[in-house]
């Protein structure tokens, strides 16, 4: 089947997005960089695959060295560094004690500026992680291979709990704190966790938020899905003070600090884990309503995030590194906790919203703490630029390197980041990767490759991307298609928890050259993003090609959103489409059709919004809910989401005459846009233009 949308796309790209000029890192940066030897490209070429990745594994301390770099005998279930044993907590903590036990591992900045920052040294991190590990082992009876769900806001106790799990070989599954109790409960059930670690509350925009209330909902939801939670461990935001109004449940809920009192000073030997033992699960959205538990390994993952943190983030011993992401997402796992701590880095961790109490807050924090590596997402950069375009000029922060991750960044926004935040001194890396990939896939090497606004860059060392069309033809530079990676790498996830068939089907089936083949060359990884390679080998990411909407850098599956809408009794059908938004990138817009005989009321719209917030979280709040007389449908009854997305984004709806009910298209258009057709020529992006197309 030929795909005309790809042709259309190229024409549009040519019109709307010009090639940007190169910008170069300053000589002072290059002189100090970890990676300035151009021979890295040769070292990590496919000729040296997979041995090239030993370079990353050698950055770790192994209890037993690996026998084989890559066991690829059962594609696409790759096994890295087989025969080796190690412990992630040991690598992130113990091994640094000899040389810098007094160095800050974390500097925690509470959202309230009146509260002092809290510094946790590597020695203290060691003490606290050991005590929590002793508690998990002896109070909860947890052992290697068990799963624990952690649903917490961004506080130091979150990485402490994760590292305590890792010390025992317990698999942690961190659920983003902003997700609802129901969403947490579903993940508790899927992962089979008997223990849930949570917190009483935290601060957002200066207000305390009750978080413990989600625990009860999570436990009930999990039980309804057949999973009993025996113990809920509750951290408290303030010592001795309970920030929640939700009662503790006897024999189930325990305050961490009360139980920890019994484990003071205890030390737990780090459990040597096989390299391919799972380290954690991280749930992410896909094409069906059920989130996927991406399973990451211990050895391959840790080696990969350590190596890329060293080379791409350019972290040195004396740097002060601040990643504003939440640890509840993969960015926080890989590039706050595991990569940086494995390198012995000082991590700044900020509890709250970047614009609280004003848009100067991040620059104030950076100035005061001497942050020199800054890591954030386009959605935060857009927001800070909008609210305080000149704020960075008022402070004396000095960055050597800045990171953007999570969504395509518009060249205009990139330039503000570069000129105003980085003062043309900081080098920018635009890192493209995914929950599934563990670490970076495309980025410029900061001292070696010039920057180009809006382009992620070439594959990072050892990553060999390729662009395919729908028929598996390799496309030349300049043509848009699906970006895939030719080869496995140590950070790639191992499988979808309890669903290996879905793993193969989602990520490998489409471009597998021969399902019987045992040769890794026949199993390229399909990322689910559209992209284009420029003649210079730089990749520009165009957005998702599947049913995922990227809202402020968070992945929401349209099917997840739609099934949450259908919980409202009056609703017969729901369709969710992405709408371009200046601040958040994309926001979902909801179309619903009611059951026969039901009248449209504002109460129904409200019920939809409430359901989205309660079943998924506040990040799923839609732009609007549109109650329509009927969904535009094909003759075979398929909802034409493409037509709805065009209406929501003021794009031409195209030919709808072949639909089963073409008249409804105009009715909906008038409802959304008013009587006169409003078609805007703005470049909304390919994920929207091609949204809902048959893949
Ligand atoms: C998008 C976040 C453009 C992409 C690490 C990907 C990006 C999805 C970039 C993964 C970037 C991530 N430029 N798009 N630099 N980085 N994306 O799993 O669509 O939360 O597939 O991982 O975000 O989102 P995830």
């Amino acid at each position: 089947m030929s795909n005309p949308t790809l042709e259309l796309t190229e024409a549009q790209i040519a019109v709307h997005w010009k090639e940007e000029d190169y910008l170069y890192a300053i000589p002072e940066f290059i002189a100090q960089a970890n990676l300035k030897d151009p021979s890295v490209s040769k070292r990590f070429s496919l000729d040296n695959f997979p041995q090239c990745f030993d370079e990353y594994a050698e950055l770790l301390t192994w209890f037993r060295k690996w026998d084989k770099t890559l066991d690829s005998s059962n594609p696409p279930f790759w096994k890295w560094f087989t025969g080796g044993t190690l412990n992630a907590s040991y690598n992130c903590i113990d091994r640094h004690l000899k040389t810098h036990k007094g160095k800050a591992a974390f500097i925690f900045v509470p959202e309230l500026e009146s509260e002092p920052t809290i510094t946790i040294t590597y020695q203290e991190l060691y003490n606290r992680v050991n005590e929590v590990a002793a508690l998990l082992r002896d109070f909860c009876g947890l052992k290697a291979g068990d799963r624990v769900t952690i649903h917490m806001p961004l506080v130091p106790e979150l990485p402490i709990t994760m590292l305590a799990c890792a010390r025992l070989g317990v698999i942690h599954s961190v659920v983003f704190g902003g997700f609802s109790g129901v969403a947490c409960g579903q993940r508790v059930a899927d992962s089979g966790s008997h223990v849930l670690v949570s917190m009483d509350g935290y601060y957002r925009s200066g207000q305390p938020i009750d978080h413990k209330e989600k625990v009860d909902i999570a436990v009930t939801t999990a039980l309804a899905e057949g999973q009993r939670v025996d113990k809920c461990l509750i951290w408290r935001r303030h010592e001795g003070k309970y920030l929640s109004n939700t009662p503790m449940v006897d024999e189930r809920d325990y305050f961490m600090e009360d139980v920890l009192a019994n484990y003071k000073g205890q030390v737990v030997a780090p459990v040597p884990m096989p390299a391919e033992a799972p380290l954690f699960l991280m749930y992410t959205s896909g094409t069906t309503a059920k989130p996927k538990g991406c399973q990451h390994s211990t050895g391959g993952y840790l080696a990969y995030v350590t190596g890329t943190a060293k080379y791409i983030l350019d972290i040195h011993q004396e740097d002060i590194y601040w990643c504003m992401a939440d640890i509840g997402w993969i960015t926080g796992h890989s590039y706050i906790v595991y990569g940086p701590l494995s390198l012995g880095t000082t991590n700044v961790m900020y509890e709250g919203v970047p614009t609280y109490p004003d848009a100067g807050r991040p620059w104030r924090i950076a100035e005061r703490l001497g942050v020199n590596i800054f890591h954030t997402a386009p959605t935060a950069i857009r927001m800070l630029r909008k609210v305080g375009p000149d704020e960075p000029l008022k402070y004396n922060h000095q960055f050597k390197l800045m990171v953007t991750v999570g969504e395509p960044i518009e060249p205009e926004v990139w330039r503000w980041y570069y000129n105003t935040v980085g003062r043309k001194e900081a080098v920018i890396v635009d890192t493209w990767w995914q929950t599934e990939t563990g670490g970076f896939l495309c980025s410029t090497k900061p001292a070696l490759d010039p920057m180009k606004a809006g382009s992620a860059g070439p594959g990072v060392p050892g990553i060999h991307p390729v662009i395919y069309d729908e028929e598996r033809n390799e496309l030349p530079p300049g043509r848009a298609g699906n970006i895939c990676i030719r080869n496995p790498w140590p950070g790639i996830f191992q499988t979808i928890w309890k669903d290996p068939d879905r793993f193969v089907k989602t990520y490998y089936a489409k471009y597998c050259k021969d399902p019987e083949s045992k040769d890794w060359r026949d199993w390229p990884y399909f990322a689910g993003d559209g992209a284009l390679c420029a003649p210079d080998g730089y990749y520009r990411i165009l957005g998702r090609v599947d049913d995922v909407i990227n809202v402020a850098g968070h992945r929401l599956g349209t099917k997840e959103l739609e099934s949450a809408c259908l919980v409202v009794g009056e609703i017969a059908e729901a369709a969710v489409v992405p709408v371009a938004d200046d601040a958040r990138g994309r926001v979902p817009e909801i179309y619903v059709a009611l059951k026969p005989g039901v009248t449209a009321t504002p109460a129904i719209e409200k019920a939809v919004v409430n359901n989205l917030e309660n079943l998924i979280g506040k990040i799923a709040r839609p732009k609007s809910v549109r109650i329509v007389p009927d969904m535009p449908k094909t003759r075979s009854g398929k909802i034409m989401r493409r037509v709805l997305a065009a209406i929501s984004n003021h794009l031409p709806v195209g030919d709808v005459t072949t639909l089963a009910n073409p008249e409804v298209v105009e009715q909906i258009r008038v409802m959304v846009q008013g009587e006169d057709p409003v078609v805007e020529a703005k470049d909304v992006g390919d994920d929207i233009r091609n949204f809902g197309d048959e893949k």
Side-chain angles (χ1 to χ4, degrees):
M1 184 193 80
S2 85
N3 188 342
T5 56
L6 290 180
E7 255 86 50
L8 183 71
T9 301
E10 283 172 56
Q12 281 156 353
I13 288 164
V15 172
H16 292 289
W17 203 333
K18 70 176 181 55
E19 276 294 307
E20 298 285 329
D21 294 334
Y22 286 133
L23 285 164
Y24 295 84
I26 60 173
E28 291 85 334
F29 177 85
I30 296 172
Q32 60 82 62
N34 281 329
L35 184 60
K36 52 186 171 222
D37 176 1
S39 76
V40 62
S41 306
K42 186 147 190 312
R43 251 177 20 246
F44 280 87
S45 70
L46 280 177
D47 293 341
N48 294 326
F49 180 87
Q51 269 63 33
C52 54
F53 286 113
D54 287 351
E55 183 169 331
Y56 287 174
E58 279 155 11
L59 296 172
L60 305 180
T61 307
W62 295 77
F63 294 136
R64 184 183 188 280
K65 205 186 158 190
W66 60 98
D67 302 318
K68 198 164 184 208
T69 302
L70 171 64
D71 172 356
S72 59
S73 58
N74 182 26
F77 299 92
W78 321 115
K79 288 185 177 168
W80 286 89
F81 311 118
T82 51
T85 63
L86 77 168
N87 182 281
S89 160
Y90 180 89
N91 273 279
C92 290
I93 310 170
D94 305 36
R95 66 176 182 148
H96 306 311
L97 297 183
K98 220 190 246 154
T99 47
H100 46 270
K101 61 177 185 236
K103 179 177 174 177
F106 286 108
I107 304 176
F108 175 64
V109 182
E111 193 191 60
L112 302 177
E113 266 183 309
S114 54
E115 272 191 60
T117 58
I118 296 169
T119 300
I120 298 174
T121 63
Y122 273 92
Q123 179 67 49
E124 210 176 338
L125 185 64
Y126 174 84
N127 299 344
R128 295 191 65 184
V129 165
N130 272 285
E131 289 168 1
V132 175
L135 181 156
L136 294 177
R137 184 188 62 189
D138 300 341
F139 182 66
C140 302
L142 291 165
K143 55 180 192 319
D146 293 343
R147 279 82 55 208
V148 165
T149 297
I150 307 175
H151 191 208
M152 289 177 67
L154 193 56
V155 290
E157 287 74 14
L158 171 53
I160 287 171
T161 310
M162 291 162 69
L163 291 163
C165 290
R167 202 162 185 87
L168 301 169
V170 167
I171 304 167
H172 58 71
S173 168
V174 177
V175 176
F176 170 57
F179 272 138
S180 68
V182 172
C184 174
Q186 289 163 345
R187 287 156 177 79
V188 166
D190 191 77
S191 64
S193 303
H194 291 285
V195 175
L196 172 62
V197 185
S198 189
M199 189 149 185
D200 59 346
Y202 57 100
Y203 292 89
R204 270 296 169 281
S205 300
Q207 296 306 312
I209 306 281
D210 190 338
H211 187 66
K212 163 66 169 64
E213 64 181 18
K214 294 181 178 173
V215 169
D216 303 274
I217 301 170
V219 170
T220 317
T221 307
L223 193 60
E225 295 195 11
Q227 178 65 33
R228 221 176 85 89
V229 176
D230 302 323
K231 286 194 169 66
C232 299
L233 306 173
I234 312 296
W235 290 98
R236 271 183 286 193
R237 174 66 180 72
H238 301 286
E239 212 179 318
K241 185 175 143 192
Y242 190 41
L243 211 57
S244 164
N245 293 318
T246 315
M248 297 285 279
V249 176
D250 271 354
E251 308 277 301
R252 188 199 76 187
D253 297 353
Y254 301 88
F255 286 128
M256 269 303 239
E257 56 194 300
D258 295 350
V259 190
L260 274 172
N262 303 326
Y263 297 92
K264 270 243 152 336
Q266 291 217 7
V267 169
V268 174
V271 177
M273 299 300 294
E276 67 273 22
L279 177 62
F280 67 85
L281 306 179
M282 164 119 292
Y283 283 85
T284 192
S285 299
T287 33
T288 69
K290 196 172 176 316
K292 306 176 274 198
C294 295
Q295 177 186 317
H296 280 282
S297 73
T298 307
Y301 171 82
L302 195 63
Y304 194 69
V305 297
T306 305
T308 47
K310 179 172 174 186
Y311 285 164
I312 306 296
L313 301 180
D314 195 48
I315 295 177
H316 294 58
Q317 274 308 323
E318 59 282 7
D319 289 331
I320 309 270
Y321 169 76
W322 179 17
C323 174
M324 277 215 305
D326 194 293
I327 291 178
W329 302 112
I330 192 69
T331 302
H333 275 50
S334 300
Y335 298 116
I336 296 178
V337 181
Y338 287 111
L341 292 183
S342 162
L343 292 171
T345 309
T346 294
N347 262 303
V348 172
M349 182 193 280
Y350 170 57
E351 175 182 30
V353 284
T355 48
Y356 182 83
D358 57 72
R361 186 71 188 278
W363 324 125
R364 230 161 24 245
I365 293 172
E367 175 190 73
R368 191 173 161 80
L369 299 179
V371 172
N372 66 340
I373 306 178
F374 182 68
H375 191 156
T376 191
T379 188
I381 306 171
R382 284 186 214 113
M383 179 61 70
L384 289 163
R385 172 175 178 255
K386 190 169 157 199
V387 191
D390 300 324
E391 283 301 308
L393 304 173
K394 300 182 190 159
Y395 298 91
N396 246 334
H397 61 278
Q398 202 174 16
F399 296 146
K400 71 165 185 178
L401 183 137
M402 305 192 300
V403 189
T404 168
V405 60
E407 305 159 72
I409 182 166
E410 300 79 358
E412 267 315 296
V413 177
W414 191 98
R415 274 190 279 275
W416 179 78
Y417 198 32
Y418 183 73
N419 293 329
T420 308
V421 179
R423 310 205 163 101
K424 301 186 181 162
E425 286 172 357
V427 60
I428 294 183
V429 284
D430 179 348
T431 58
W432 169 70
W433 59 296
Q434 311 175 299
T435 303
E436 294 87 339
T437 72
F440 304 144
L441 293 179
C442 282
S443 164
T444 48
K445 296 177 276 302
L448 290 170
D449 307 320
M451 300 162 257
K452 196 163 77 175
S455 287
V460 297
I463 300 294
H464 302 277
V466 54
I467 306 278
Y468 286 125
D469 69 7
E470 291 292 315
E471 295 92 56
R472 298 196 201 143
N473 301 307
E474 213 172 303
L475 293 176
R479 302 227 7 225
N482 294 325
I483 186 165
C484 296
I485 310 297
R486 291 180 196 276
N487 58 297
W489 65 97
I492 182 70
F493 71 137
Q494 299 176 293
T495 188
I496 295 174
W497 181 254
K498 292 197 311 203
D499 205 347
D501 292 344
R502 188 176 175 197
F503 169 72
V504 179
K505 194 164 156 257
T506 310
Y507 300 97
Y508 292 97
K510 189 174 170 93
Y511 288 106
C512 177
K513 290 169 195 139
D514 169 13
E516 298 304 315
S517 170
K518 298 288 172 206
D519 184 346
W520 59 262
R521 288 168 195 82
D522 293 329
W523 293 85
Y525 168 78
F526 170 57
D529 276 326
L532 164 105
C533 183
D536 58 5
Y538 280 37
Y539 290 87
R540 184 188 296 160
I541 307 300
L542 303 169
R544 303 287 309 186
V545 297
D546 55 11
D547 300 318
V548 170
I549 303 181
N550 192 331
V551 183
H554 303 154
R555 278 165 68 171
L556 295 177
T558 47
K559 290 286 180 298
E560 260 172 281
L561 298 164
E562 287 167 5
S563 58
C565 299
L566 292 176
V567 173
V568 179
E570 292 90 344
I571 292 177
E573 285 176 312
V576 177
V577 302
V579 187
D581 181 88
D582 282 347
R584 295 199 284 162
R586 303 283 176 261
V587 283
E589 181 151 58
I590 315 278
Y591 288 89
V592 292
L594 304 179
K595 287 180 181 160
V598 179
T599 332
T601 61
I604 297 177
E605 289 172 26
K606 195 146 184 297
V608 170
V609 176
N610 286 343
N611 262 294
L612 289 165
E613 292 192 7
N614 294 338
L615 297 176
I616 298 169
K618 288 214 163 60
I619 48 170
R621 191 181 296 167
K623 178 168 183 255
S624 49
V625 177
R626 310 274 184 187
I627 301 180
V628 295
D630 194 6
M631 295 287 179
K633 281 185 189 152
T634 60
R635 295 235 163 88
S636 61
K638 188 175 172 302
I639 299 178
M640 291 300 287
R641 289 177 180 74
R642 179 180 64 74
V643 171
L644 296 171
I647 293 174
S648 286
N649 289 281
H650 298 266
L651 298 169
V653 291
D655 182 11
V656 293
T657 51
T658 57
L659 296 191
N661 52 355
E663 69 293 341
V664 80
V665 174
E666 183 56 14
Q667 285 177 31
I668 298 176
R669 197 201 57 71
V670 170
M671 178 185 238
V672 175
Q673 302 175 350
E675 282 299 332
D676 298 324
V678 192
V679 173
E680 295 171 3
K682 72 177 179 188
D683 183 22
V684 289
D686 286 53
D687 54 325
I688 288 183
R689 269 178 216 287
N690 302 339
F691 186 80
D693 277 342
E694 287 280 3
K695 305 278 165 8

